[in-house]
Amino acid sequence: TADVVPQAPEDPLFGLMTAFRKDESANKVDLGIGAYRDDNAKPWILPVVQKADDLIRKDPNLNHEYLPITGLAEFREASQKLVLGGDSPAVKEKRAHTLQAVSGTGALHLGALFLAKFYKPNTKRTVYLSDPTWPNHFQIFNNVGLPYKSYPYFSKKTKALDFDGYIDTLQNADEGSIVVLHACAHNPTGVDPTQGQWKKIADVIRAKKHFPFFDTAYQGFASGDLTRDAWAIRYFVEQGFELCIAQSYAKNFGLYGERAGCFHFVAAPSSDAESTATRVASQLAILQRSEISNPPAYGARIASLILNTPELFAQWEEDLRTMSGRIIEMRKALRRKLEELGTPGTWNHITDQIGMFSFTGLTEQQVLKLREDSHIYMTKNGRISMAGLNTKNVGYVAKAFDKAVRD
Ligand code: PMP
């Protein structure tokens, strides 16, 4: 291997984090990494997570034994209900199967591996990813040998969804392609289809017999409303699709490093749907065993206690509103300040977009200039993590954007 392994480039996002840490300026602002920060730019442990953690630590029966291959049962069940809804037909008809996974990334990987092995194995299959998308999607599907293509998503001109391009591409894709869909708070653009648009997307996916694979990393974090943020997934399930879901608890519980998440497979309704789900479950268990043996316990215990205890669940919803509310306030503040400064261009997209990120429309050159001149860090595509803004730095950031746009 000594001479055949080429040097790989550094992960751009983690590289950005390192550069930020090294910057000694007192004014530096991190708008790169997608992790929530409070108004003092500090990581925030959700009060409900702290409470659940304290309760778990006090439990005299707590130990460090292995979880089962499929993970913590009460966590899997609660996660299924959270994403599909308590009265989901798929849950009632026992045609949904859930495995605990290594957060959203691990769930995506498990799903990708499963599809690579069992989805139309002897045919040419393509995975369709939105353009742009969370860059890790490319490597996750590529690593299991599934080729990918893009469907248009974002119009640079309107700074909104390129709906016609999106539909047209799915319509012209080979029948039975896999389509990766961001359930809400699209990363990196912050632009989601409307419910009417989702219905049309579902129509094309059905007509072309495509396979929907939902990625849900922001349920409750996006709008502060868990039901609203799950609408697209539940609509597809109601429509009777066979589909997969990768569910992350990194953002909505602030459990980033604990790697809590789930992978769900939902069989289409039919007389043998339950047996399909059982067979799929048996294969997923083998894949899980060979990949990670069994999933990490601690984060799942915390999430599970909250999901399964009504008072804690209610407090969690409060905490979600605190996070999403602060982010929405920062969207308003940034837009207002740019408009007050008369910064060239339009800035309504900042408040129109939803979730952790805003796609500012800043060019790569402006992004690099902001880093050099103002110590403001963001990804080269002009994406900013809204959580990096706070009442103390939003004025500074707006002035720096204004200067970068005018220069
Ligand atoms: N999908 C999307 C779209 C994301 O933004 C993220 C988090 N950045 C993930 C999946 C998965 O993250 P994690 O593995 O930390 O749960």
Side-chain angles (χ1 to χ4, degrees), residues 91-306:
V91 178
K92 274 192 217 139
E93 293 156 22
K94 297 196 176 70
R95 50 188 174 82
H97 179 69
T98 300
L99 276 88
Q100 188 185 325
V102 183
S103 208
T105 306
L108 281 161
H109 171 71
L110 183 63
L113 192 64
F114 173 76
L115 293 175
K117 199 160 177 196
F118 294 104
Y119 182 71
K120 302 179 188 290
N122 300 316
T123 59
K124 181 177 146 283
R125 307 152 296 176
T126 307
V127 178
Y128 274 82
L129 302 171
S130 65
D131 176 23
T133 192
W134 182 48
N136 214 11
H137 280 154
F138 299 111
Q139 7 190 45
I140 289 171
F141 288 97
N142 207 18
N143 284 348
V144 298
L146 288 173
Y148 58 79
K149 285 188 182 162
S150 287
Y151 58 88
Y153 192 83
F154 185 76
S155 158
K156 284 204 171 116
K157 218 163 97 198
T158 60
K159 298 197 183 83
L161 190 70
D162 177 1
F163 186 62
D164 293 341
Y166 187 152
I167 291 291
D168 196 53
T169 300
L170 292 194
Q171 221 141 25
N172 289 306
D174 285 339
E175 204 170 274
S177 294
I178 297 160
V179 186
V180 176
L181 303 158
H182 297 228
C184 69
H186 182 268
N187 179 2
T189 67
V191 174
D192 286 343
T194 62
Q195 293 189 356
Q197 288 170 331
W198 272 121
K199 289 182 181 171
K200 295 203 175 106
I201 293 164
D203 288 344
V204 183
I205 291 182
R206 183 188 302 102
K208 295 289 302 194
K209 301 189 170 63
H210 295 326
F211 186 97
F213 190 158
F214 277 97
D215 179 357
T216 177
Y218 300 94
Q219 189 183 355
F221 187 94
S223 71
D225 179 336
L226 288 158
T227 305
R228 184 156 147 201
D229 291 345
W231 186 88
I233 293 178
R234 293 179 191 178
Y235 177 76
F236 272 67
V237 172
E238 269 167 35
Q239 293 295 304
F241 284 98
E242 177 182 54
L243 54 81
C244 290
I245 307 163
Q247 179 185 32
S248 165
Y249 285 124
K251 321 274 157 154
N252 53 8
F253 277 113
L255 285 171
Y256 306 93
E258 300 298 343
R259 316 307 291 141
C262 281
F263 173 75
H264 311 270
F265 172 87
V266 179
S270 81
S271 54
D272 64 355
E274 193 179 332
S275 117
T276 304
T278 307
R279 280 180 282 115
V280 167
S282 69
Q283 294 295 345
L284 283 168
I286 291 175
L287 295 179
Q288 176 100 312
R289 175 83 172 119
S290 63
E291 292 273 312
I292 61 164
S293 194
N294 47 76
Y298 204 77
R301 284 200 178 114
I302 292 176
S304 184
L305 186 61
I306 297 166

